[in-house]
Amino acid sequence: GYMPEEKSLTDILAEVDSMVGKSEVKRAIREIAYSVKNNIERAERGLGDQQKMGMHIVLTGNPGTGKTTFARKLGEILSSIGYLDSGHVIEVDRSQMVSPYQGETPKLVDRLCDKAQGGILFVDEAYTLAPINSTGERDHQGAQALEKLMKRMEDDRGKFVVVVAGYRIEMDNLFRVNPGFRSRFNYFLNIDDYSPEELFSIME
């Protein structure tokens, strides 16, 4: 997985701001950072909810829009403000979460969640775990992986963060099929494509 360097919140947000475009996502990430930071500081002073809030995030967008990059930046941010112990990112997709062998899929998901403790479990193309696949057939292994992930998100509230990513329409379909999964997430960020001008700026 990705192991972040130790940096201050100010330095990390400056790095995010220096990225080309993505003004809406930058604004949302800044809001998340200061909202979580304020909650932690209030709890330390004995104000508000003393229980650590659970936090999980949905990133939607096309390939190449920076979903993995923003997930890594979130890990750095949440570590710098003390929400996560290390902020490391375990990057997985369906192939690492689903086993061809009966009864093994929940164990795989358990091991990945264990590895993500103190950091982020980044699930790319999460819509491939939908209980009903694209042909309308029941996907038992995908359903098992999703159910185990949901259980760990609830049981280990505040111990790690799940960031799921994928195309917006496919992710919306996943949440429609499984509304319980959608309810586990606090933040939904859509990352727009780069404009031709922004791509030219990146190339330069």
Side-chain angles (χ1 to χ4, degrees), residues 5 24 35 42 53 55 60 72 74 78 98 123 144 158 179 190 196-197:
E5 300 173 26
E24 288 186 18
S35 173
R42 282 170 58 83
M53 61 174 276
M55 187 173 67
T60 55
R72 291 175 175 178
L74 284 164
L78 295 174
V98 169
V123 184
Q144 280 186 9
N190 184 63
E197 293 77 18

Side-chain angles (χ1 to χ4, degrees), residues 65-80:
T65 51
K67 296 186 293 296
T68 304
T69 299
F70 283 117
R72 291 175 175 178
K73 286 299 174 191
L74 284 164
E76 292 178 17
I77 287 168
L78 295 174
S79 174
S80 74

